[in-house]
Amino acid sequence: MPGIATLEFNLMQRELTVGHTLADTAPVLAALGQIGMAAVPVEAAAAGAEPAAQPPAAQRKWWLMGLAGASAVAAEAVAWGAGEESAPVVIALALLAIATGGLETYRKGWIALRNFNLNINALMSIAVTGAMLIGQWPEAAMVMFLFALAELIEQRSLDRARNAIRGLLDMAPETATVRHADGSWATRDAKSVAVGALARVAPGERVPLDGRVIAGQSSVNQAPITGESIPVDKGPGDPVFAGTINESGSFEFEVTAPAADTTLARIIHAVEQAQGSRAPTQRFIDRFARVYTPAVFAVALLAATVPPLLFDGLWVEWSYRALVLLVIACPCALVISTPVSIVSGLAAAARHGILVKGGAYLEESRSLAWLALDKTGTITHGRPAQTDFEPVNGADAGVARRLAASLAARSDHPVSKAVAEAARRDGVALAEVEDFAALPGRGVKGTMAGREYHFGNHRLVEELGLCSPALEARLAALEEQGKTTVLLVGDSRVEALFGVADTIRNSSRQAIAELHGLGVRTVMLSGDNEHTVRAIARQVGIDEVRANVLPVEKQEVVEKLLGSAGKVGMVGDGINDAPALARADIGIAMGAAGTDTAIETADVALMDDDLRKVPALVRLSRATAAVLKQNIALALGIKAVFLVLALAGEATMWMAVFADVGASLIVVANGLRLLRR
């Protein structure tokens, strides 16, 4: 059509995207109507509009199918029991079976033939019509019934794959309890709630929108978003996500995103986009089918004409064989095997908090040979924590810790904050600090109970002239472990030392071990110093390290790895990782829940901070690839066997139907197995 530039099909979501330069979409809708496709613009569908022509209700379809099946069986029984005398009854029963079960197939077949498209409906229409013309009435009826029944079952199976994604939409409540300006609470449509509004969630309810807790405490099940199996405690300042389940207490939260832009909405949008992008295997199968179907149609035509014309074969016999070939020939099972497997894999990943942005990334993850990992925020928590505390020179442990924490609480340095946080968590009471002063690059000092104390680094202790060989050895041992040391210094002696480090995530060791078990080698990239990076790498079990690297140098490391065999992945959590994430074959963002940029730009987004989801992705990718191979082998193998039988005259049209629709049902069921992973 003039003015139509592009057509993009999303078969799983039943959406067609039309690129055009037309003034309005009326001609597009009219053209779609001419080929029997009742279409509604997406915006109108969202507003509740329905297509002009609806297919029969599901219950009515099953009633018609039952009538078609009964008529087809009756036609077979009468023909077998009464012989030639029953021909009018057999014909009537067969026509009833074809009319109740096959009119939709004929309608679609006529549209396909009119547009020179040899799809399954066209091939089946030709085969059934041919069977009737050569007097095979019972077989024509049974073939049409079996095909229509299999189509209906297949449609229901595919709906299961669609609903696995569509079910995400039902996670977010349609209403929210919102506070009005006069202080009263009322239920409102979640879509109408503005950012900044105050909402309330009762125990057992789902959170309606993204927000930040203002008041109250609760435990929230975040599995729908992050895949975490254990509920997460929430208090003032903590984020909450639409679709998550409030398990115990009640809380109030400030809305931070409109309904259309919640984390859940972005996940759904990303998965829908991923469904629309074709995986490499799917693209190959589509190209193969374009050649395969016309080729087999040509073989069937030759089988019907060449033996009777050149070798005195019987026209009826060879026409029948050609019709059987046509039914077997359709690449339905082959074409449908890939999208249903990919969608099932994407849905299984999304259920476990792994957002894969396309079928290509799901398929390619199985070939990961190297995985580069950022250190801070990926392997580690990304925030310092106190790991060691030792009183020295006979100082009282409780007093020393109280004094150090009192000074640390007045500082804004991350190391001091870690010491103060550990003391607060353990219930250590703080002392009053006077004459507090910061010592840039060294630490802090202050007076407590009439005595001056310093709290700072190794350099400060050296300047105060209080270092000793024993203390130097202890500090060196801690620093070799990748820890930063700070010390409490009294009037004339060091009284305590503290070790602070960015602690390793509990999941990191297991994740790296699982990756090694899958044959994936690992390299850690960090801007931190060599001692710290190597110490953490040893604890976690990472193969190689690159320390003191800038963001651009991380990208260069990934580029060098790209020359090796297999795919290269990069896992990171920050903007400084973006160049390397973009350069890798598969960029994986950590902790993407609530992060717009990560969800929009990463190839794969792990919705929480659990690195074990990376080996889980590799295993799922390998399972998906295995299912794809199984489906292709099943589809082609079954057809190859029955094509040989058909040419040899050993296959009936019944067998042909089982070869086609049976193979389709097998590959669909096999693909849906991925949903259970």
Side-chain angles (χ1 to χ4, degrees):
M1 281 177 60
I4 303 298
T6 59
L7 298 174
E8 294 178 13
F9 301 90
N10 184 334
L11 299 182
M12 297 308 296
Q13 291 300 321
R14 293 172 173 155
E15 284 188 3
L16 167 65
T17 303
V18 183
H20 64 87
T21 56
L22 303 173
D24 66 90
T25 57
V28 176
L29 298 177
L32 290 169
Q34 288 175 7
I35 59 168
M37 307 293 284
V40 166
V42 171
E43 295 79 7
E50 293 291 337
Q54 283 292 303
Q59 191 173 7
R60 185 184 161 205
K61 280 186 177 181
W62 286 109
W63 275 109
L64 288 172
M65 202 55 59
L67 179 58
S71 302
V73 170
E76 285 282 356
V78 172
W80 182 75
E84 295 292 332
E85 298 175 2
S86 61
V89 177
V90 170
I91 293 172
L93 288 170
L95 287 173
L96 178 61
I98 292 167
T100 51
L103 284 184
E104 185 70 7
T105 301
Y106 265 117
R107 185 182 68 82
K108 292 178 180 178
W110 169 242
I111 293 170
L113 289 170
R114 200 174 62 198
N115 290 278
F116 305 103
N117 179 18
L118 292 173
N119 68 9
I120 182 60
N121 295 291
L123 295 176
M124 192 59 65
S125 299
I126 293 170
V128 171
T129 303
M132 289 189 290
L133 290 175
I134 61 175
Q136 298 287 337
W137 291 97
E139 193 148 10
M142 188 58 76
V143 163
M144 184 59 84
F145 162 68
L146 289 173
F147 173 74
L149 178 63
E151 286 279 289
L152 195 55
I153 295 171
E154 186 179 296
Q155 181 182 325
R156 294 291 297 275
S157 300
L158 289 176
D159 283 342
R160 217 185 120 198
R162 290 188 183 98
N163 293 337
I165 300 299
R166 199 169 295 155
L168 291 171
L169 289 167
D170 299 329
M171 289 180 182
E174 295 182 356
T175 60
T177 304
V178 182
R179 191 170 75 179
H180 290 176
D182 61 1
S184 63
W185 295 88
T187 301
R188 289 175 52 189
D189 187 341
K191 293 179 182 177
S192 68
V193 178
V195 173
L198 194 65
R200 182 172 65 190
V201 182
E205 289 184 347
R206 286 186 181 268
V207 179
L209 296 157
D210 282 7
R212 184 174 59 256
V213 177
I214 301 298
Q217 300 277 342
S218 187
S219 179
V220 177
N221 181 348
Q222 297 192 150
I225 299 295
T226 65
E228 294 169 286
S229 57
I230 300 173
V232 180
D233 291 333
K234 298 288 184 180
D238 291 331
V240 290
F241 306 109
T244 56
I245 305 159
N246 180 28
E247 296 214 329
S248 52
S250 176
F251 62 87
E252 298 172 11
F253 69 96
E254 180 186 1
V255 176
T256 56
D261 199 33
T262 63
T263 302
L264 179 63
R266 293 198 304 273
I267 290 172
I268 294 166
H269 178 65
V271 175
E272 287 178 344
Q273 282 187 321
Q275 291 180 47
S277 64
R278 296 191 185 283
T281 302
Q282 191 171 349
R283 290 196 295 269
F284 164 75
I285 292 299
D286 288 346
R287 289 195 300 270
F288 177 80
R290 290 195 199 109
V291 177
Y292 166 83
T293 307
V296 177
F297 188 84
V299 170
L301 194 60
L302 291 172
T305 56
V306 171
L309 289 173
L310 301 182
F311 304 106
D312 295 326
L314 296 174
W315 282 99
V316 171
E317 179 187 338
W318 284 98
S319 295
Y320 182 81
R321 292 188 190 183
L323 294 174
V324 173
L325 269 176
L326 280 185
V327 177
I328 296 171
C330 184
C332 243
L334 194 61
V335 171
I336 208 167
S337 65
T338 45
V340 74
S341 302
I342 293 295
V343 169
S344 296
L346 292 171
R351 285 178 176 179
H352 291 88
I354 306 170
L355 184 59
V356 186
K357 296 295 291 295
Y361 305 118
L362 177 63
E363 202 171 326
E364 289 174 359
S365 295
R366 67 188 170 92
S367 303
L368 271 182
W370 277 95
L371 187 69
L373 303 106
D374 173 49
K375 177 181 76 71
T376 307
T378 301
I379 299 293
T380 65
H381 286 99
R383 56 182 182 275
Q386 179 181 309
T387 57
D388 296 81
F389 164 63
E390 293 180 25
V392 294
N393 296 322
D396 181 271
V399 173
R401 192 174 185 196
R402 178 170 178 258
L403 296 172
S406 302
L407 288 171
R410 299 286 297 273
S411 171
D412 60 358
H413 192 280
V415 173
S416 292
K417 285 183 176 180
V419 173
E421 171 61 24
R424 184 194 65 77
R425 193 171 56 245
D426 293 341
V428 176
L430 302 183
E432 188 69 31
V433 180
E434 298 175 349
D435 302 324
F436 179 84
L439 306 172
R442 295 166 180 79
V444 296
K445 69 176 182 176
T447 302
M448 291 173 284
R451 292 180 62 193
E452 184 178 64
Y453 290 89
H454 290 78
F455 184 66
N457 57 21
H458 189 181
R459 181 179 175 185
L460 174 64
V461 177
E462 285 184 332
E463 290 180 356
L464 293 172
L466 297 175
C467 256
S468 67
L471 183 63
E472 291 275 3
R474 183 66 188 123
L475 294 178
L478 287 171
E479 287 169 1
E480 281 183 9
Q481 295 173 32
K483 297 172 181 176
T484 300
T485 53
V486 284
L487 305 100
L488 175 69
V489 183
D491 292 334
S492 58
R493 65 175 185 170
V494 175
E495 298 192 4
L497 64 84
F498 297 80
V500 174
D502 183 3
T503 54
I504 295 170
R505 295 184 188 278
N506 295 331
S507 59
S508 295
R509 292 182 184 87
Q510 183 182 342
I512 299 303
E514 289 182 17
L515 285 166
H516 288 162
L518 292 166
V520 181
R521 300 197 67 192
T522 53
V523 56
M524 185 163 70
L525 312 178
S526 176
D528 214 335
N529 66 76
E530 187 89 16
H531 273 308
T532 301
V533 174
R534 289 200 176 278
I536 289 175
R538 279 196 301 273
Q539 293 177 58
V540 178
I542 286 177
D543 296 314
E544 297 184 16
V545 298
R546 302 287 190 277
N548 299 307
V549 290
L550 299 172
V552 174
E553 292 171 328
K554 288 184 180 182
Q555 179 184 349
E556 291 171 357
V557 172
V558 170
E559 284 179 347
K560 289 178 182 176
L561 292 174
L562 289 171
S564 60
K567 300 291 181 182
V568 176
M570 170 69 194
V571 185
D573 73 318
I575 294 174
N576 62 334
D577 300 319
L581 286 168
R583 188 67 186 91
D585 292 313
I586 303 169
I588 304 171
M590 282 279 286
T595 308
D596 297 353
T597 306
I599 291 179
E600 294 299 328
T601 60
D603 302 325
V604 177
L606 310 182
M607 301 311 295
D608 63 357
D609 297 319
D610 192 343
L611 197 60
R612 290 172 296 186
K613 285 185 166 58
V614 178
L617 171 65
V618 175
R619 287 192 292 269
L620 178 61
S621 175
R622 292 181 181 180
T624 303
V627 167
L628 285 172
K629 289 175 183 175
Q630 291 163 10
N631 280 349
I632 291 169
L634 281 167
L636 290 178
I638 290 170
K639 288 189 179 297
V641 169
F642 281 92
L643 280 171
V644 172
L645 289 174
L647 288 171
E650 298 298 326
T652 66
M653 207 171 290
W654 278 44
M655 293 182 186
V657 171
F658 280 119
D660 178 66
V661 296
S664 294
L665 292 176
I666 289 170
V667 299
V668 167
N670 195 36
L672 290 175
R673 286 192 305 117
L674 292 168
L675 286 174
R676 298 198 299 270
R677 288 189 65 85

